[in-house]
Amino acid sequence: MDSTAEILEDNLEKILKGEGLEVREFDSVPEQVKPVTLRKSVCYIVGAVIFNSKDEVLMVQEAKRECYGRWYLPAGRMEERESILEALQREVKEEAGIDCQPITLLLVQEQGPKWVRFVFLAEETGGSLKTTAEADSESLQAQWWDRESPLPLRGRDILPLIDAGIKYRRNPWFPMLQPVDFPCQVICQRLFLTFISSNGNTDTSDEHRLWLLMSSNYATPHPSLPIALSVNAFDTIPRAVHRLVKECVPSSSMHVHTCGILGVQHNGRIPGKTDGVCFNTLVLLENSEDGAEISSPPPLEGDAYRWHEVTNQSLRAKIIQRIKEESVLPVHSLY
């Protein structure tokens, strides 16, 4: 194996493990690239799902005028120069009075690139529940909720988040995942875009052939996965994926399935310059015509992209397994 192939396979392994890679060039750029700025052009929210030994969930009573006295999960906006994890721990401490340690990112919710919520499953590590005597502008108090006793909620949108936390504790369906510290100027996606064909009707991964879409961007010294930029307010993760696929296979009848997120990259240390986020997104390209068998990926138009067949059996099996089980961080687009 030559050094170029070794570098590519090493980078693919890193992404599968939830690690990050430097963002260098963009492949799908609908508009002029402008750095995003936290609280000006983008808003990041962090939220925590935390259970105690009795399986009760941590809730805080709101102090905001528009939802005064109602209950919600600990959540709030990220501040300048914070990492995602730092924002999570600060918000939980301010609103609930306890210290926490994240177990895993649980899911990502988005309304295009301008509003993203990172929801964590976390655990209590210290501190004490905020009492009414400690009420302030952040919250009135915190309590453990058994999920059965009547409780006036600020919004029912948190119920699926709590259910996801319960489900993950009982049977984790994707590896524990934490954001990694890599600077990025914009909201973008590194697409782990796959196509699978089979020489026979079998579920054995050894019988499948697997291709990955690669960028032909010569500004990148080694073969790399394409990076799609999200710009306008409606450019959700799935829509950005569809746009890139349409660019490279515009006449194809393929179905684009966004499986989920393999990793999240963020830094935020330099306001206005590193406020962006890169999502490493797993995507499967499937034939949309029932009964038709395609033994090779659809032909690409132009020379901006190319298909790379993964011949390393171990790596191929890992990728196919992640796709089959959809063992990836879920992303919910709210548009």
Side-chain angles (χ1 to χ4, degrees):
M1 182 187 301
D2 61 32
S3 60
T4 299
E6 288 179 351
I7 291 171
L8 174 59
E9 291 187 1
D10 182 59
N11 287 341
L12 295 177
E13 289 275 9
K14 287 180 179 179
I15 295 173
L16 285 174
K17 293 176 182 176
E19 300 176 16
L21 299 172
E22 182 181 355
V23 176
R24 293 179 177 174
E25 298 292 333
F26 306 108
D27 295 280
S28 180
V29 184
E31 300 177 19
Q32 184 180 359
V33 179
K34 296 180 180 179
V36 298
T37 302
L38 187 67
R39 297 205 170 201
K40 292 183 179 179
S41 58
V42 294
C43 177
Y44 302 144
I45 310 293
V46 292
V49 180
I50 301 175
F51 297 95
N52 63 11
S53 59
K54 299 178 182 178
D55 284 340
E56 297 169 326
V57 65
L58 180 66
M59 300 288 286
V60 296
Q61 191 174 31
E62 296 282 7
K64 302 181 187 71
R65 180 187 305 175
E66 62 272 18
C67 52
Y68 188 87
R70 295 193 172 270
W71 294 82
Y72 206 67
L73 292 174
R77 296 185 182 187
M78 284 179 57
E79 297 180 352
E80 283 189 347
R81 295 184 173 87
E82 279 188 322
S83 70
I84 299 173
L85 295 183
E86 288 169 346
L88 171 78
Q89 292 170 323
R90 174 186 54 77
E91 284 291 345
V92 172
K93 186 68 173 179
E94 290 176 351
E95 294 194 347
I98 70 169
D99 303 310
C100 76
Q101 180 66 33
I103 297 171
T104 184
L105 253 173
L106 191 59
L107 59 87
V108 170
Q109 297 174 302
E110 53 148 4
Q111 291 180 332
K114 294 185 179 296
W115 187 95
V116 182
R117 178 159 68 173
F118 301 95
V119 182
F120 285 84
L121 178 64
E123 58 186 349
E124 179 185 8
T125 58
S128 57
L129 286 181
K130 190 175 197 176
T131 66
T132 53
E134 299 169 306
D136 55 21
S137 61
E138 297 292 336
S139 66
L140 301 178
Q141 62 174 316
Q143 288 184 5
W144 297 104
W145 181 41
D146 61 10
R147 310 191 309 280
E148 295 181 359
S149 302
L151 196 69
L153 301 179
R154 169 184 154 186
R156 297 183 64 83
D157 62 308
I158 61 172
L159 297 180
L161 310 185
I162 296 171
D163 289 341
I166 295 170
K167 176 184 174 183
Y168 192 92
R169 294 177 78 209
R170 292 174 178 171
N171 183 28
W173 73 95
F174 62 89
M176 290 184 183
L177 180 66
Q178 306 289 355
V180 291
D181 190 346
F182 269 91
C184 185
Q185 290 186 319
V186 295
I187 310 293
C188 63
Q189 295 181 72
R190 178 180 286 108
L191 300 186
F192 209 104
L193 197 152
T194 63
F195 176 87
I196 302 173
S197 67
S198 176
N199 294 327
N201 295 323
T202 177
D203 289 330
T204 305
S205 62
D206 287 344
E207 298 295 329
H208 290 84
R209 298 176 68 187
L210 171 70
W211 284 267
L212 291 175
L213 186 69
M214 307 300 295
S215 171
S216 295
N217 193 325
Y218 295 105
T220 304
H222 304 291
S224 60
L225 299 174
I227 296 179
L229 184 67
S230 295
V231 178
N232 65 63
F234 301 98
D235 211 1
T236 64
I237 286 177
R239 287 180 182 178
V241 173
H242 278 77
R243 187 184 65 245
L244 186 140
V245 172
K246 188 175 181 180
E247 287 178 7
C248 56
V249 283
S251 58
S252 172
S253 60
M254 305 300 290
H255 171 69
V256 182
H257 174 50
T258 303
C259 302
I261 295 172
L262 293 166
V264 176
Q265 303 180 194
H266 173 263
N267 176 270
R269 300 303 182 191
I270 308 175
K273 293 186 177 180
T274 62
D275 286 333
V277 175
C278 178
F279 298 101
N280 295 324
T281 308
L282 180 62
V283 181
L284 176 63
L285 206 59
E286 300 175 291
N287 181 32
S288 60
E289 298 179 2
D290 293 338
E293 293 186 5
I294 300 179
S295 59
S296 59
L300 304 174
E301 296 193 11
D303 58 0
Y305 308 98
R306 63 181 178 82
W307 289 110
H308 169 78
E309 184 172 3
V310 179
T311 56
N312 180 309
Q313 291 188 11
S314 174
L315 179 59
R316 185 181 68 214
K318 290 178 185 177
I319 297 171
I320 291 176
Q321 193 70 17
R322 297 293 292 272
I323 294 170
K324 282 184 177 180
E325 297 181 354
E326 294 206 13
S327 57
V328 285
L329 177 78
V331 54
H332 294 167
S333 296
L334 302 180
Y335 279 137

